[in-house]
Amino acid sequence: MKTTSRFTLAVTALAVGSVTLAACAGSAVGASQAASSGEAPEEIVIGALHPLSGSNAVDGQQMSNAAQMAVDAINGAGGIESLGGAKLVLEAADTRGEPETGQSEATRLIQEGAAALVGSYQSATSANIASVAERNGVPFVMDVSALDSILEQGYTNSFRIQPSASMMGEQSATYLSEIAEAAGTPVTKVGYLYEQGNFGASAYEAFAAKAQEYGITVEPAISYDPSSSDLSTQVQQVAAAGADVLAVSGYYNDSLAIARAVSSIAPDLDAVFGVANGGYDQVQFTADAPNGGENYFDANYRWDATNDEAVAVAEAFEAEFGEPMRTSAMLTYDAVTLIAEAIDAAGSADPADIRDAIAATTYEPHVVNDGPVSFDETGQNVNASVVTMQVLGGAVTQVYPAALAQQPLVYPAPVR
């Protein structure tokens, strides 16, 4: 049975104009001293590291806002009950999307007394933060960072809520095969375009290995520079190969460029299927893409639109910040709330105690998950899951599996 904490329930009572609590080094040091002396601190600092400037600032600012919203909800619900109502204080730091900056900012936050960290949107930056967290014995909960290798270093202080890139690739292949089989139009050949970084390669390799189990050939498989504005040549190669489906693992701008190339070339495809795609499940894609991106699929992590509590969080976010809440921001909200519940369960502001409580968590997230959050020995949430979305009637809609569907899917789903 699903259980809900008072922190999760508190969001429904959030005031639109939430109060922002400003952290200072003095407060952090006081909390650290209290933890070491056994006294209950008045404040506990959580450090949030995101790209607040640079090319990913839109997501980064949303994630930072969501972290503050979670802190406000927790404090509004009475703070950390087991510590006499201690309040959380958020210290937001700008990584600028740079691994070195993320590393130095994480070090600074820990030195100033942060009891836990969340972040950071980009895997390379999170990899550096994870190293800092491990050296200092401070728990780090990753909201968005898919690269498998981050948690393959033997770390004990880093945790990931979302599915890894390989988990997303495998689940995407399964869902595509099941959707096509149920429609009576089995997939035999997939052409795959993926950005040439570690994220794209990891998603592709996992998808291809799983697809082979279903008798699906993945060919051609073409990596590309995500800064490219024209990917027509790559789409033409897929069209010439006679693929049934085009799969795409990329970021927003390159995925949009592929959609524009598909519209121009008009290959004979049953579907364009995003795999952990950073574009095809975004509201903005329906405005930017040819024909509104109609029929495009994406199998990805997602805040659960069939979960009433998640809907309440998203509505509160949009009311406060004036824009729809992205899944990246919902994952940050979950990360902060999970840490708060761990602090409450530990009855301690000591990072080592918080770490142990995080490792034992059964937190119920607002993102799609196959049960409560459950971390394995590497720090990966083993219940992390993806959901298949499709642009239908101009809206990004959950369509598969059936238990999470908002409406029936369309397949075959030609795009233009």
Side-chain angles (χ1 to χ4, degrees):
M1 177 182 295
K2 181 177 178 180
T3 58
T4 304
S5 78
R6 61 192 178 87
F7 295 151
T8 303
L9 288 172
V11 72
T12 60
L14 272 176
V16 171
S18 61
V19 177
T20 301
L21 298 175
C24 65
S27 297
V29 172
S32 176
Q33 291 172 343
S36 62
S37 67
E39 298 176 5
E42 293 183 2
E43 294 180 342
I44 303 166
V45 174
I46 294 176
L49 298 123
H50 297 103
L52 305 181
S53 59
S55 59
N56 292 301
V58 173
D59 274 284
Q61 190 60 61
Q62 272 222 357
M63 296 167 84
S64 187
N65 288 340
Q68 186 64 60
M69 192 174 90
V71 164
D72 292 340
I74 292 156
N75 290 339
I80 306 300
E81 185 175 24
S82 66
L83 292 175
K87 303 300 184 184
L88 295 184
V89 176
L90 186 77
E91 277 279 14
D94 183 8
T95 68
R96 300 189 297 196
E98 300 167 352
E100 296 78 10
T101 301
Q103 178 173 320
S104 62
E105 285 295 273
T107 300
R108 177 183 66 81
L109 289 173
I110 291 171
Q111 289 174 344
E112 293 180 358
L117 304 174
V118 299
S120 71
Y121 188 68
Q122 288 142 309
S123 288
T125 304
S126 289
N128 281 18
I129 295 170
S131 177
V132 171
E134 190 68 16
R135 286 197 303 272
N136 289 276
V138 171
F140 171 43
V141 179
M142 284 177 275
D143 37 31
V144 176
S145 292
L147 188 62
D148 289 68
S149 62
I150 299 173
L151 294 179
E152 294 173 349
Q153 311 304 314
Y155 294 152
T156 60
N157 286 282
S158 291
F159 304 87
R160 176 165 50 210
I161 298 176
Q162 70 157 97
S164 67
S166 62
M167 291 170 73
M168 290 190 282
E170 291 175 0
Q171 293 180 28
S172 295
T174 296
Y175 286 174
L176 173 59
S177 177
E178 291 174 352
I179 287 169
E181 288 285 347
T185 313
V187 179
T188 59
K189 189 173 187 179
V190 171
Y192 206 119
L193 303 184
Y194 62 97
E195 67 86 23
Q196 63 190 15
N198 289 329
F199 152 63
S202 296
Y204 154 66
E205 291 166 3
F207 180 98
K210 195 67 175 179
Q212 186 176 18
E213 296 180 16
Y214 298 111
I216 299 171
T217 299
V218 182
E219 184 186 8
I222 305 166
S223 65
Y224 62 83
D225 182 346
S227 66
S228 300
S229 59
D230 185 355
L231 292 163
S232 299
T233 299
Q234 291 85 346
V235 172
Q236 286 173 333
Q237 288 178 265
V238 172
D244 303 314
V245 171
L246 167 60
V248 183
S249 290
Y251 300 108
Y252 187 83
N253 289 330
D254 47 300
S255 296
L256 179 60
I258 290 170
R260 288 171 174 160
V262 168
S263 178
S264 175
I265 295 166
D268 183 16
L269 296 167
D270 287 339
V272 178
F273 198 89
V275 179
N277 188 279
Y280 301 154
D281 61 358
Q282 297 289 349
V283 173
Q284 188 62 34
F285 179 69
T286 65
D288 293 343
N291 196 38
E294 192 72 9
N295 284 349
Y296 273 74
F297 286 98
D298 190 23
N300 209 342
Y301 56 80
R302 172 75 169 176
W303 72 263
D304 186 0
T306 65
N307 180 323
D308 290 343
E309 292 168 9
V311 171
V313 173
E315 289 176 347
F317 183 94
E318 185 165 3
E320 184 166 353
F321 300 108
E323 59 184 358
M325 189 179 199
R326 299 187 179 192
T327 297
S328 56
M330 189 70 82
L331 278 160
T332 305
Y333 187 93
D334 274 338
V336 172
T337 310
L338 184 154
I339 289 170
E341 290 195 0
I343 295 170
D344 200 37
S348 170
D350 183 86
D353 295 335
I354 298 170
R355 179 264 165 216
D356 291 345
I358 290 172
T361 191
T362 55
Y363 174 73
E364 293 279 0
H366 297 88
V367 293
V368 170
N369 212 54
D370 188 19
V373 172
S374 179
F375 295 117
D376 65 15
E377 66 280 357
T378 72
Q380 174 62 50
N381 173 19
V382 296
N383 287 333
S385 184
V386 303
V387 64
T388 306
M389 294 157 281
Q390 187 175 25
V391 179
L392 296 173
V396 177
T397 306
Q398 291 176 197
V399 294
Y400 192 84
L404 296 170
Q406 295 172 278
Q407 68 183 75
L409 60 83
V410 174
Y411 194 93
V415 298
R416 63 183 190 276

